[in-house]
Amino acid sequence: MKKRNKVALLALGLVAIGMAASSCTANFCTNKEKSRIAFVIEPGVSEYVVSSEAPVIENADINKVGTNVYQVVKFNEDKTFAKSAQLNAIISSAKANGIYTPANEYFYKFDEIVLNNALTASNLSVDDANITVEQINEALKVNGYLKFYRVEDDNVYANYKAINSKLRNDPELDLEKAASVDFENAYISAVSQVVETFRSCITTVEGEYGNYGSQNDTVHLEGVTWGEAWGKGGHVIEGLIVYPVAWLVDTFANAFAGPARDFTRGVPQLLSLILVTVIVRLFIFLVTIKSTLSQQKMTALQPELAKIQQKYPNANTNQAQKQRLAEEQMRLYKKHKVNPLSQLLVLIVQFPIFIGVWGAMQGSAVLATGAVFASDKWAGLHLSDSIWTILRAGPASNVSGFWAAFGLIILMSVSQFISMKVPQWIQKARTKKVARMGVNPAQKSQNRTANIISYVMLAMIIIMGFTLPAAMGVYWFIGAIVSLIQTLLTQYVFIGKKRKK
């Protein structure tokens, strides 16, 4: 196998390992919070109005469920439910897989039970003549999750199963119209798959967060402590990195938002993200400062290394020249106290921090709330959405979000390219004046391998930038700027000291 192919396969392997490792960070959402997310995603098919007489609404079924409360179920032109796109998808999938789907009456009855449970939990009743639509909607917002959640055993879908069991034995509803166990399992599986994609439940302040469902609704989150983070997933990384980074994001965002805690425009989140990125990158620099300076020394020594390499032009094929080249290089490294393997320490430190930051960006509730550049006319960029998801929707569906995502991926890509190439450009500039005695195959091979690795790493970051939350795009963009400044400063300091000597 050619060396170039080996390098490419190694890079792809690192990408695969990174993707797998990042998915292993724990989901901080509690079962109660998962149930709340599930209800926002699939709230049922019903809306409610309060009137002494049944309203007249086209393309809708209307049923009286209380003294003055009427259940309204609206339909699309294709006879699917207007309110729940998720339920329509579940029904369509069930039919395609040969699973019997319940009659409409089943869904009406199910929603009526959910309404009564939510109102009871809010100390209200459908038989209260003075009940208002606002009270009904508030009760469903606060307690609608009881459609799924059973408090007694902290079970996400226990109530959903219990209501289905009740309806299958309801004498007023024919058994054939109720949901079968197969449909029940298909429903739970589909909803669960969507719920598990939402991981943004890390917050230090209890409140409403997120952009869930087709209406970008918020969900009530109760907050996570550092002690609880250590018990998540059985991994050290949650307590050591994920929670502290998410805590910093949350703390700074709340500070920038002020007492009103207004996150709708996304400015506090963006400022917090920038500040946290700088802190994380500075932390990495301080931990690996010895190795980083060793790398900078390596760059500064390129003219001397080039002179040595010119003395042994056939080191690639001549074993004696190869050995003498290695010996002279090692003497040069020892003289200047340089460790050529120092890059490994930087990678060892950076990798778990990267995974932890990734998990924190996914898990931060405040980053999943509101939208950057949002206005009364434009929907903004949700930092929890992937850039690819936003770009795929096109500019017409989300003008501000589309162009913000487009600009972010361009800035991230350019900044990463520059931060990676600057050390190579410095090296090239320093070796430019070295007398050339002929083509050195060994040096040429090393340069080619370095270029391949750089471009593969750049492509890897850009691809992940498309697929990961937009918050990671901001992290990489700011991180590239910090890295560029760090390179220039360390080069300036090192070269300045060398000139003084």
Side-chain angles (χ1 to χ4, degrees), residues 303-315 318 320-322 324-325 327-329 331 434-443:
E304 295 181 57
L305 284 170
K307 290 177 182 178
I308 294 173
Q309 290 168 343
Q310 290 297 328
K311 291 167 60 177
Y312 306 102
N314 299 315
N318 187 305
Q321 284 196 14
K322 183 178 181 179
R324 288 196 294 272
L325 172 63
E327 288 173 353
E328 284 205 42
Q329 285 178 331
R331 280 197 295 271
V434 177
R436 298 294 177 187
M437 299 169 60
V439 177
N440 187 327
Q443 184 181 359

Side-chain angles (χ1 to χ4, degrees), residues 5-54:
N5 293 337
K6 288 181 179 179
V7 172
L9 287 175
L10 176 61
L12 291 174
L14 289 173
V15 174
I17 292 171
M19 297 286 280
S22 65
S23 64
C24 292
T25 55
N27 189 331
F28 279 73
C29 300
T30 65
N31 286 341
K32 184 183 290 187
E33 289 165 347
K34 289 179 180 179
S35 298
R36 287 171 174 153
I37 295 171
F39 183 69
V40 170
I41 292 169
E42 207 299 275
V45 300
S46 306
E47 299 175 12
Y48 298 94
V49 297
V50 175
S51 174
S52 57
E53 297 181 2

